[in-house]
Each structure stands twice: as C-alpha cells, then as structure tokens.
Amino acid sequence: NAGVTQTPKFQVLKTGQSMTLQCAQDMNHEYMSWYRQDPGMGLRLIHYSVGAGITDQGEVPNGYNVSRSTTEDFPLRLLSAAPSQTSVYFCASSYWGINTEAFFGQGTRLTVV
Amino acid sequence: DAKTTQPTSMDCAEGRAANLPCNHSTISGNEYVYWYRQIHSQGPQYIIHGLKNNETNEMASLIITEDRKSSTLILPHATLRDTAVYYCIVRVINNNAGNMLTFGGGTRLMVKP
C-alpha cells in the first residue's frame, strides 16, 4: 500500500518556466489537497478537491492550477514559476467527513531561480 | 476555524512523558481538536483527535479541558524519534469547505538523551 506518492522529490526551475507536480493516492480517498510550506512556517492550503471533477481554492491559490479527472490523481500546475514559489509542497488525502485523518506525501522541494 | 496558541519550543528527557499544551479559547461547539506532527521536513503525520472526551491511542493521549478552551497532548514515554514539530489544529467539519487543516507555527519538541 503506497499511500500518497508525490513526484518529483526535488526540482529546480527557472523563472517563467511551467511544470506539474504529481500526486497520487491508492486509498480511494475522496478528498485531496495541496499545501506549501515555507522555511520555518506551518503549511498553507493552496487548492483542494472533494472528488473527481470538483476543485476549489484554498488560502494561497494564485499562480497555481489544479484538476481532478480521477479519484487517484491530483496534479498541481505552476503556470509561470516565480522565486516566491520556492517552497516545499505537500499533497494530502483523506476520506470525507468527521473523524478522518489526513495522509500526507513526502513532499516536493521546489527551487525557482 | 478557531485560532490555537502553542509554545514555540519544549524540551523533554528521553523516557519521560512529554506534555504539549494548546490553547484554543475561541473554540466552538462543533470544532474538533486535532494533533499532527512533522518530523524533520517529512510530510505531517496524524496523531490523534477529539471533540470533548479524552482520547488515547497507540501513539498518545489527548486531554481536553471541560470547557474545551485548552488541551494537552501527552506522549507517555518520549523517545528520540519523537523529536518533531507538533501542530494543534482546531477545525470544523464543513461539507462546503472540505477537510481543510489550518496549520499554525506548532511546538518544536526536542527529546534529549
């Protein structure tokens, strides 16, 4: 059981480049989300999805797009990378509703130069 | 979601109980208290959660005061591997907003030999 898998683990981008961070889960969870964590800070929610075909914005959505075509996958797209997007990105998934725990991936460390 | 206040850092001797406090004085009746931890930049890991009763699992115990304005996470026999940042999160399960988690700064627990 792989849980939540994120790829790549590390990435360096030049300013203006675009890329997609991949997230996949094999637990049949309805809810998936993306967070970013800047040095010394807590995690902040970027986007989330409550099921295939449904996405919504979190606290810091600007500069990012998401889609949810399947239950398993929830990719995060950086449209035009900026140095301010240098961060560690975490994907999480959970069942819907009360008394659920979130499972997190191991993170993608992104540097934009 | 209600705001939480945690000490920035704490030390604990190996083998001793670690008691991590959290203040959530503005908590509402339908908000749960969740605890997660993050070990050295890994993805956060769920520990425990509760509404108003004390809870215990294989990892920890959660003590919630009767007025629910504060709680304490107890690691009964701390080991070096428990060194991590511990996040206390108060959240309401809202079907419109999903299972969002709002992370504050957390408490950095250092377990010392």
Side-chain angles (χ1 to χ4, degrees), chain B residues 11-106:
Chain B
D11 290 344
C12 177
E14 188 178 18
R16 297 285 204 165
N19 296 283
L20 290 87
C22 180
N23 182 287
H24 32 79
S25 58
T26 60
I27 194 170
S28 300
N30 62 345
E31 290 182 312
Y32 285 71
V33 180
Y34 279 73
W35 284 83
Y36 282 78
R37 72 180 183 184
Q38 188 174 26
I39 298 173
H40 190 55
S41 298
Q42 296 179 17
Q45 175 190 24
Y46 166 83
I47 302 173
I48 199 167
H49 75 279
L51 181 61
K52 56 183 179 181
N53 297 320
N54 297 338
E55 302 287 345
T56 295
N57 63 20
E58 65 278 3
M59 288 183 67
S61 295
L62 173 61
I63 309 297
I64 303 174
T65 58
E66 191 170 346
D67 63 6
R68 303 210 321 122
K69 294 182 184 299
S70 66
S71 61
T72 301
L73 178 75
I74 300 172
L75 308 178
H77 305 287
T79 71
L80 298 179
R81 288 177 294 180
D82 292 321
T83 292
V85 177
Y86 288 77
Y87 295 100
C88 170
I89 299 167
V90 173
R91 66 184 182 106
V92 59
I93 306 300
N94 182 333
N95 284 338
N96 292 327
N99 296 0
M100 290 192 293
L101 298 170
T102 302
F103 288 83

Side-chain angles (χ1 to χ4, degrees), chain A residues 31 35 37 41-43 45 48 50 56 58 88 90 94-106 109, chain B residues 32 34 36 38 41-46 49 87 91 93-105 108:
Chain A
Y31 184 80
Y35 293 83
Q37 184 173 34
M41 307 285 287
L43 283 72
L45 182 66
Y48 65 94
V50 301
D56 207 343
V88 181
F90 291 100
S94 68
Y95 288 116
W96 184 262
I98 298 174
N99 292 322
T100 61
E101 63 175 280
F103 294 83
F104 285 80
Q106 288 304 297
R109 188 173 297 273
Chain B
Y32 285 71
Y34 279 73
Y36 282 78
Q38 188 174 26
S41 298
Q42 296 179 17
Q45 175 190 24
Y46 166 83
H49 75 279
Y87 295 100
R91 66 184 182 106
I93 306 300
N94 182 333
N95 284 338
N96 292 327
N99 296 0
M100 290 192 293
L101 298 170
T102 302
F103 288 83
R108 185 172 298 275

Side-chain angles (χ1 to χ4, degrees), chain A residues 37-85:
Chain A
Q37 184 173 34
D38 299 326
M41 307 285 287
L43 283 72
R44 290 184 293 169
L45 182 66
I46 304 172
H47 283 286
Y48 65 94
S49 169
V50 301
I54 305 170
T55 64
D56 207 343
Q57 297 181 350
E59 179 186 357
V60 288
N62 292 339
Y64 308 94
N65 274 355
V66 292
S67 60
R68 184 96 178 269
S69 56
T70 67
T71 299
E72 295 78 19
D73 300 299
F74 190 44
L76 177 73
R77 298 183 188 85
L78 278 70
L79 308 173
S80 176
S84 61
Q85 294 178 304

Side-chain angles (χ1 to χ4, degrees), chain A residues 23-37:
Chain A
C23 176
Q25 53 93 7
D26 60 359
M27 296 172 281
N28 203 31
H29 287 162
E30 305 95 341
Y31 184 80
M32 297 185 74
S33 53
W34 277 101
Y35 293 83
R36 62 175 287 174
Q37 184 173 34

